[in-house]
């Protein structure tokens, strides 16, 4: 089962600057060989359910290991069985609609 | 690693009435032996990371099997390594603060 | 336009204990006369769009005033124009489905 | 009060293809003069709280007017009073951390 996910990891109890922890999560996702796209409020991920979820768990382990006592994470995820769809297709589909007015 | 999660499964492409699918998810969570609390905009779940995530995956499988071609799911989840905390304690802590002013 | 919302306010940069800030938000919602239900991972709110959104903004103002330099907030919200629905009806609808199997 | 938001509008009861509705929301945000960035699982928005929230409300009105009986929306939003920050700075900050290892 393929999943497209938006992942946003928020370390709590380490002050206001959290980019160090997000960078570590980016490393975890890259090491997992997942297709990702970092944006200003999270990271989009595309892959098989188990691989993606294993990477999310690893992010929590790594962020705790870096010193965050508490982590709040937001996930949006979508699965579909009617057809395959990529992250690029989702964006292109909206942009095509806009051009067509 | 223990997790407290808020899970909200939104089946897409099956019309506006989605309670049948949410009820099926509640069955999945109950069958998994997880501690849960259904509220008006999701279900809170408390348990070990792997058990909770396995149940979320099973929810997607079951909702697709019931006919939903597409599923959009929201997850909030929290882990902490400084101390153990239950769902009840989180609510009680806020209510105690309110009484104390 | 009526809205049912799930609101989760996460103050950042104030340590791991955030119940003081959540309690202040509960006060804001109560003062606004909104129908609410606190759960372990947020607060459900039912009301008119403008009144609910004004209260969310007030929560941010109050939590900043209490000393939080940064706030991360999650909102799920739903509007519908086919019929009116309350928070209680949403829960009851799922529970009825489960009884009926 | 400035806000950085991730907005994801999910029309319900209109089938599996929702790009028409998302494109309409993009128009609303553009008409509002807001700074935005469309990604595969939502749209990032940067602006003043009231202007951003007015646009979100307008998205709901427009998507209902296009025929969606029900809408489920996810919002992540962040405000900070310690310093100003843009969407570009958030991404650049994470990427700089990764390069520095």
């Amino acid at each position: 089962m393929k999943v497209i996910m938006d992942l946003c990891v928020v370390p709590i109890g380490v002050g206001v600057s959290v980019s160090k922890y997000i960078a570590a999560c980016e490393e975890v996702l890259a090491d997992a060989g997942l297709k990702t796209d970092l944006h200003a409020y999270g990271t989009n991920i595309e892959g098989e359910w188990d691989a993606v979820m294993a990477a999310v768990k690893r992010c929590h382990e790594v962020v705790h290991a870096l010193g965050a006592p508490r982590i709040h994470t937001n996930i949006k995820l979508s699965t579909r069985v009617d057809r395959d769809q990529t992250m690029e297709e989702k964006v292109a589909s909206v942009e095509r609609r806009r051009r067509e007015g």
Side-chain angles (χ1 to χ4, degrees), chain A residues 23 67 70:
Chain A
R70 189 173 185 172

Side-chain angles (χ1 to χ4, degrees), chain A residues 1-98:
Chain A
M1 187 163 54
K2 206 183 106 177
V3 64
I4 292 181
M5 177 184 286
D6 178 50
L7 175 69
C8 177
V9 173
V10 182
I12 297 176
V14 292
V16 291
S17 180
V18 300
S19 56
K20 176 174 79 172
Y21 305 90
I22 308 307
C25 290
E26 290 295 299
E27 289 296 323
V28 166
L29 299 171
D31 289 349
L34 293 166
K35 181 173 154 188
T36 64
D37 180 42
L38 174 70
H39 60 80
Y41 220 138
T43 303
N44 291 332
I45 310 171
E46 182 181 329
E48 283 298 313
W49 182 288
D50 290 345
V52 173
M53 286 302 191
V56 173
K57 184 183 182 185
R58 183 83 188 119
C59 287
H60 271 246
E61 292 168 343
V62 165
V63 172
H64 279 311
L66 283 172
R70 189 173 185 172
I71 305 170
H72 167 79
T73 287
N74 291 114
I75 292 172
K76 291 181 283 201
L77 66 88
S78 138
T79 57
R80 58 191 307 175
V81 294
D82 55 336
R83 68 179 183 86
D84 196 30
Q85 191 181 35
T86 65
M87 300 195 297
E88 294 81 1
E89 284 166 356
K90 288 185 75 177
V91 172
S93 177
V94 172
E95 290 176 341
R96 191 168 49 243
R97 283 283 190 174
R98 286 196 67 186

